[in-house]
Amino acid sequence: MSSEITSISDKENYFLVGPGPANCSPRVLTALSSYPILPPGYQIFKVISEVKQLLKYAFQTQNDATLAIQNSGTGGLEAAIINTVDPKEVIIVAVNGYWGERVAEIGRLREITVIEIVPKKPGVFTFEELEEAIKKHKPVLLFITHGESSTGLLQPLKGLGNICHKYNCLLAIDAVVTLGGCPLFVDDWSIDIAVSAPQKAARGLPGLSYLTFSPKAVKRIRAIKTKPPFYYNILKLCDVWKCFDQHSPYYYTFNSNLLYAAREGLLELLEETLSVSCDKHKKLAKRLWSGLEKLGFEFIVKKPEDRLWTVTPVYLPPNISWAKINEYLTTKYQLFVGCGLGSYENKIIRIGIMGYNARDELVQRVLDKLQEALLYCQK
Ligand code: GLV
């Protein structure tokens, strides 16, 4: 058995330009390779409290209940739902792709009554249709994906929280692929629950999920009758993160290296500022879209104003398979673009220019190599 852990031949020149994880900076990778530290203790609490402060900045929130937990973005979504909703209660899941479908499934597994809605016209949901559904079904929570990386939609959210609150409904969002790359103002937009993860525009690595809960959401967490499973108990984890007065030094063993890396990625974001980072993602996305259009690619999302800035899915040209294009790009250039998920499997490729990879030269590189790959695949 060889000790080689990846087949990447040139570690300086490989590019994760799919839906994530994205590459992270040398600074983040250095942080990852620090010595693990022992929980509980002063050192781990220091990094935890710094990550919490940085997350408040990234989410633009003053929510006390802001924390990271140890699992994937999906784990964060599951934690958010099962800590705030009891079985048999009604929630609406606004489904615009794979991630919405997943949350609906999480809800059903918890025996929550899940009402799935889809947009009346292809594209983002209008607030009118969302309000109509809330009026009709009286859910305790509306879940919507901010950035649907499976289809490339960027759902507007400003004003939606106030609509939900008129009906005593919480607003929960999936911001996994938008945090740090597209504007998101948790407090100003009255969002009750936001879930994200480090490995996209937040410049860290997979293995954590980031969560924030408004005071209304915390009230609900305290009130639900069916307690969450041990590992997903947000109130207990909030005690480790000292979100409220109580501080428990230990609940489970956090991977301190991941926390160090997360802190470094979030610090990079703070140093750059959210507004500069988001503007940069938007500018690069536009450049990418125009290049893809010139190459003849068709977008799932037709209106540029509805498109996500971090991940762009486009249809594969007729008779070109995902496998062939992917093989060409990875073996020849170590360029990793993403495949389609769910009903889009084998129909699209997904290009992510985000986080540390949000750089002009990478947009150009992706476009040049894609053009080459198309010629190769058409032969
Ligand atoms: C992951 O977030 C993906 O969209 O594949």
Side-chain angles (χ1 to χ4, degrees), residues 19 99 149 200 341 350:
W99 300 106
S149 59
K200 318 267 179 170
L341 294 176
R350 296 185 297 153

Side-chain angles (χ1 to χ4, degrees), residues 14 22-23 30 33 44 53 79 89 97 106 112-113 169 197 231 243 259 292 299 314 319 337 352 359 361 363-364:
Y14 88 103
N23 293 67
T30 304
S33 60
I44 191 116
Q53 285 316 313
E89 286 190 306
I106 287 170
I112 291 167
T113 305
C169 164
Y231 196 78
C243 296
L259 288 172
L292 289 169
F299 296 82
V314 282
N319 306 322
V337 296
R359 304 198 301 270
E361 70 271 16
V363 175
Q364 202 48 54

Side-chain angles (χ1 to χ4, degrees), residues 133-155:
I134 297 172
K135 260 194 209 157
K136 180 169 168 201
H137 299 288
K138 302 183 181 47
V140 295
L141 177 146
L142 166 71
F143 175 88
I144 196 157
T145 308
H146 186 208
E148 193 34 274
S149 59
S150 65
T151 49
L153 274 158
L154 180 62
Q155 172 65 47

Side-chain angles (χ1 to χ4, degrees), residues 24-74:
C24 30
S25 68
R27 172 176 165 183
V28 170
L29 291 175
T30 304
L32 183 74
S33 60
S34 346
Y35 283 101
I37 50 180
L38 197 71
Y42 161 76
Q43 280 175 306
I44 191 116
F45 183 59
K46 183 169 182 297
V47 64
I48 279 179
S49 41
E50 286 169 1
V51 171
K52 183 170 67 176
Q53 285 316 313
L54 290 162
L55 280 177
K56 286 186 176 182
Y57 171 72
F59 279 122
Q60 292 287 284
T61 186
Q62 297 301 321
N63 286 339
D64 291 328
T66 300
L67 69 162
I69 65 175
Q70 199 160 289
N71 52 27
S72 66
T74 298

